[in-house]
Amino acid sequence: MNNNDMMEKEEIFSKVLRAGRRTYFFDVRATKAEDYYLTITESKKFTNDDGSYHYKKHKIYIYKEDFAEFKDILAEMTDYIIKEKGDEVISERHQKDFKKEYDNTPRVTEDELKTPESFTDIDFDDI
């Protein structure tokens, strides 16, 4: 078997799940003994201050001997979460007073934003 055959065989079957800033890659790969295993890669997009971006990747390997238990536990965990919390996403981002925190700056509530004291009097013509 030459190198080209190895390259083509590395990913036998692949699926991609795009989920916002995250992308999940599911890849069936072959061991040296020509058995198959699964890799799941999470790739998360981060934007740099200059507007460019980079990705961070995390990969897990799942082997045949663990498939049955892995599937059972994954199903149990996902069913538990849906049963306890429903399938609608509960997030701070959906609450009206959510303000993204940068570093350790104190969070400002919607009510504080409405008070005139929170504004500094600036005449933009003077700047």
Side-chain angles (χ1 to χ4, degrees), residues 3 5 20 24 42 45 48 60-61 63 86 88 91 95-97 103 113 116 120 122 126:
N3 267 351
D5 290 340
Y24 298 95
E42 177 202 44
K45 184 177 180 178
N48 302 321
I60 60 169
Y61 296 78
Y63 297 94
E88 189 176 321
S91 169
Q95 294 167 11
K96 71 177 180 62
D97 64 346
D103 304 318
L113 283 177
T120 308
I122 299 172
D126 292 343

Side-chain angles (χ1 to χ4, degrees), residues 6-17:
M6 283 297 287
M7 293 302 285
E8 286 167 23
K9 283 197 163 171
E10 194 186 344
E11 288 174 20
I12 291 92
F13 181 54
S14 296
K15 287 227 155 185
V16 178
L17 169 61

